[in-house]
């Protein structure tokens, strides 16, 4: 079997005006759909965050993918690493610099997931079996809560549908107060059955976000795990001060401050597990993580750690050094969600419900439409590959969205300035 073709299709999916430490989500989120097609006409797919730089990187490795044996992923990885390593340095050294290694990890991860989907379809086995086999049939996910302005994103922009009810109404409603977030959480949990709650913070003054956590605790009771993610815009002193207020209330506090050194200081002073998707985000970061004790839980992301097999390696390292493990998310469609589920199904020590933005999106590029959560879980199943097929008509429509919307990168600061002129991102805001 050989890879005969390689397709890269940028898409734009509706995204509500969600607030975060970097600013505001645009009406569209950018994703890229990757296909590898074998010489016997079997195809595999993957999905990754979009943008002009991502498209350029993927197109630049096309010649390293077409004609290759999809089973020989190590050789493809080596050549992609060499490609990015030599882009500026002349002489390749494995993972020579952080910026190039991360570009290589992102590009190879997309190719690898598509190849594993292809292989799974060819041999009639689910991707999780190619990673060692299932240790769980159901993967739990967490409700992902956002402070937000009114609007549902996409063509609707900031418009409101007065006929919407329950989650559809909550998805478009403003949520700028603790009570608004509680209402959002209640609607999301009724719709999807989630059993844990995560609040995206770093938006308002810390006390408001702490008050929101306690409002959620009051509404949902002491047995619902709660998480808060200030996206590292708190100082060490602020993180310690407000972290101490939340001792006993949080399952974990995610990236309250910036950098491994700062996180380690907070970890020593506050009796709450710290999680990260910002200070430890690559294999190069792991020695510092272990030396400093910067976090208790790593939120993996196969899009950035180099794919599914690399994420299995990360899980083993986490087990060796006593780290908990879960998964980070960004605005995505069902291909990424299925890949996350297959990875989670094959990792024994994934002990926390995974993040997902999926409830915030409404379009889908897979046949059968939106994936359904069952009591907060995604059932993995035994379908070959990732268990998805592309809806070609929807793929074309969402690609047209990409062309029409004119976005070529995510820029939350620029989007925020449309609402609050002069607003600037600050690495440390409080």
């Amino acid at each position: 079997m050989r890879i005969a073709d390689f397709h890269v299709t940028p898409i734009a999916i509706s995204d509500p005006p969600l607030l975060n430490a970097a600013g505001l989500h645009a009406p569209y989120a950018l994703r890229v759909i990757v296909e590898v097609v074998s010489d016997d006409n079997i195809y595999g797919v993957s999905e990754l965050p979009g943008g002009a730089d991502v498209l350029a990187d993927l197109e630049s490795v096309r010649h390293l993918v077409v004609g290759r044996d999809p089973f020989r992923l190590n050789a493809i990885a080596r050549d992609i690493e060499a490609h990015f390593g030599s882009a500026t340095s002349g002489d390749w050294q494995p993972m020579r610099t952080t910026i190039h290694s991360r570009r290589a990890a992102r590009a190879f991860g997309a190719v690898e997931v598509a190849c594993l989907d292809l292989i799974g379809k060819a041999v009639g086995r689910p991707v999780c079996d190619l990673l060692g086999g299932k240790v769980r049939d159901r993967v739990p996910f967490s409700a992902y809560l956002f402070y937000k302005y009114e609007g549902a994103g996409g063509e609707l922009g900031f418009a409101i549908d007065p006929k919407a009810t329950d989650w559809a109404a909550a998805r478009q409603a403003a949520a700028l107060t603790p009570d608004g977030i509680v209402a959002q959480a209640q609607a999301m949990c009724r719709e999807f059955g989630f059993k844990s709650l995560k609040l995206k913070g770093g938006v308002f003054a810390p006390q408001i976000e702490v008050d929101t956590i306690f409002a959620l605790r009051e509404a949902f009771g002491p047995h619902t795990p709660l998480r808060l993610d200030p996206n590292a815009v708190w100082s060490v002193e602020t993180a310690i001060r407000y972290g101490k207020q939340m001792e006993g209330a949080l399952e974990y506090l995610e990236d309250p401050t910036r950098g491994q050194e700062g996180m380690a200081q907070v970890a020593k002073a506050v009796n709450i597990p710290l999680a990260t998707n910002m200070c430890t985000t690559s294999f190069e970061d792991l020695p510092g993580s272990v030396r400093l004790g910067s976090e208790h839980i790593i939120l993996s992301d196969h899009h950035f750690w180099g794919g599914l097999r690399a994420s299995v390696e990360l899980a083993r390292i986490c087990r060796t050094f006593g780290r908990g493990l879960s998964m980070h998310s960004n605005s995505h469609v069902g291909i990424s969600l299925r890949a996350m589920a297959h990875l989670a199904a094959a990792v024994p020590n994934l002990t926390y419900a995974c993040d997902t933005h999926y409830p915030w999106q409404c379009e889908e590029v897979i046949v059968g439409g939106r994936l359904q959560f069952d009591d907060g879980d995604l059932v993995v199943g035994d379908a070959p590959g990732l268990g998805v097929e592309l809806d070609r008509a929807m793929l074309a429509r969402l690609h047209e969205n990409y062309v029409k919307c004119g976005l070529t990168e995510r820029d939350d600061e620029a989007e925020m300035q449309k609402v609050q002129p002069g607003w600037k991102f600050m690495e440390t805001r409080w």
Side-chain angles (χ1 to χ4, degrees):
M1 179 187 291
R2 296 285 170 180
I3 297 171
D5 214 342
F6 180 66
H7 303 296
V8 177
T9 307
I11 65 172
I13 56 176
S14 300
D15 205 16
L18 308 178
L19 289 157
N20 63 84
L24 180 67
H25 286 209
Y28 288 98
L30 306 181
R31 305 295 285 180
V32 178
I33 307 303
V34 172
E35 296 177 70
V36 293
V37 184
S38 71
D39 51 9
D40 49 358
N41 208 33
I42 303 171
Y43 76 93
V45 295
S46 66
E47 170 197 346
L48 72 162
D53 57 338
V54 177
L55 291 171
D57 282 351
L58 289 170
E59 290 295 346
S60 77
V61 302
R62 174 184 297 276
H63 68 289
L64 302 175
V65 177
V66 174
R68 306 297 288 272
D69 182 341
F71 284 84
R72 296 186 174 177
L73 288 166
N74 290 336
I76 296 174
R78 176 199 62 206
D79 291 345
I80 288 177
E81 289 172 16
H83 169 76
F84 286 103
S86 64
T88 58
S89 65
D91 295 320
W92 174 67
Q93 297 177 22
M95 297 304 186
R96 179 176 179 130
T97 65
T98 296
I99 185 170
H100 294 302
S101 68
R102 292 184 180 182
R103 289 171 65 196
R106 181 179 63 190
F108 173 70
V111 172
E112 183 227 45
V113 172
C115 285
L116 290 174
D117 184 38
L118 170 65
I119 292 166
K121 290 173 180 175
V123 301
R125 303 297 291 266
V127 163
C128 57
D129 281 0
L130 306 180
L131 303 175
K134 281 190 285 188
V135 295
R136 58 181 63 86
D137 295 312
R138 302 169 64 94
V139 176
F141 286 83
S142 180
Y144 208 153
L145 311 174
F146 283 84
Y147 297 105
K148 70 179 293 290
Y149 295 128
E150 287 187 339
E155 293 180 0
L156 291 177
F158 289 85
I160 294 296
D161 176 5
K163 298 179 182 178
T165 59
D166 208 42
W167 172 243
R171 183 177 172 273
Q172 66 184 14
L176 300 171
T177 64
D179 287 346
I181 291 293
V182 168
Q184 181 187 105
Q186 290 170 332
M188 189 183 286
C189 290
R190 281 194 300 269
E191 179 79 13
F192 302 101
F194 298 130
K195 299 296 190 297
S196 59
L197 309 173
K198 172 177 172 175
L199 174 64
K200 176 64 78 175
V203 175
F204 297 123
Q207 191 61 59
I208 295 173
E209 298 182 355
V210 171
D211 291 345
T212 303
I213 290 296
F214 282 103
L216 290 166
R217 168 55 63 89
E218 178 69 21
F220 284 84
H223 302 298
T224 299
L226 304 178
R227 311 162 179 181
L228 174 62
D229 175 16
N231 267 148
V233 294
W234 291 357
S235 69
V236 169
E237 294 75 18
T238 297
I240 292 172
R241 175 184 174 186
Y242 291 98
K244 284 184 174 296
Q245 287 190 36
M246 294 182 287
E247 288 179 344
L250 290 182
E251 180 183 35
Y252 62 69
L253 178 58
E254 179 182 342
D255 288 309
T257 197
R258 193 165 298 276
Q260 290 182 334
E261 293 81 1
M263 286 281 284
Q265 292 180 59
V266 178
K268 291 175 182 177
V270 177
N271 188 25
I272 300 174
L274 300 188
T276 189
N277 172 59
M278 294 182 68
C279 77
T280 302
T281 60
S282 71
F283 288 96
E284 297 156 305
D285 296 328
L286 289 171
S289 167
V290 173
R291 184 178 69 256
L292 295 167
S294 54
E295 75 286 313
H296 305 85
I297 303 151
I298 291 178
L299 305 181
S300 64
D301 189 327
H302 71 271
H303 305 92
F304 301 112
W305 281 85
L308 301 182
R309 297 178 311 141
S311 298
V312 172
E313 293 179 16
L314 172 64
R316 295 191 181 108
I317 293 170
C318 286
R319 184 168 55 189
T320 299
F321 291 100
R323 295 292 190 276
L325 183 68
S326 188
M327 289 188 194
H328 162 263
S329 166
N330 214 316
S331 305
H332 60 86
V333 292
I335 299 171
S336 279
L337 185 60
R338 289 294 298 173
M340 291 171 67
H342 277 272
L343 174 59
V347 173
N349 57 316
L350 192 138
T351 49
Y352 296 86
C354 302
D355 292 348
T356 181
H357 285 62
Y358 199 65
W360 292 106
Q361 274 63 69
C362 61
E363 299 102 340
E364 189 49 273
V365 294
I366 58 177
V367 172
R370 302 274 296 167
L371 298 174
Q372 300 299 308
F373 291 95
D374 180 23
D375 203 26
D377 300 342
L378 201 65
V379 178
V380 180
D382 294 312
L386 293 175
V388 300
E389 299 291 341
L390 278 175
D391 181 329
R392 301 286 175 180
M394 281 300 299
L395 181 66
R397 175 182 163 188
L398 295 178
H399 175 64
E400 185 179 354
N401 278 354
Y402 173 81
V403 173
K404 287 182 176 179
C405 78
L407 296 173
T408 58
E409 63 179 353
R410 177 175 173 173
D411 189 342
D412 289 13
E413 181 181 82
E415 197 65 28
M416 188 70 160
Q417 289 171 353
K418 296 176 184 177
V419 180
Q420 296 184 25
W423 190 92
K424 290 289 186 181
F425 168 70
M426 298 171 61
E427 286 194 351
T428 302
R429 188 171 292 276
W430 287 284

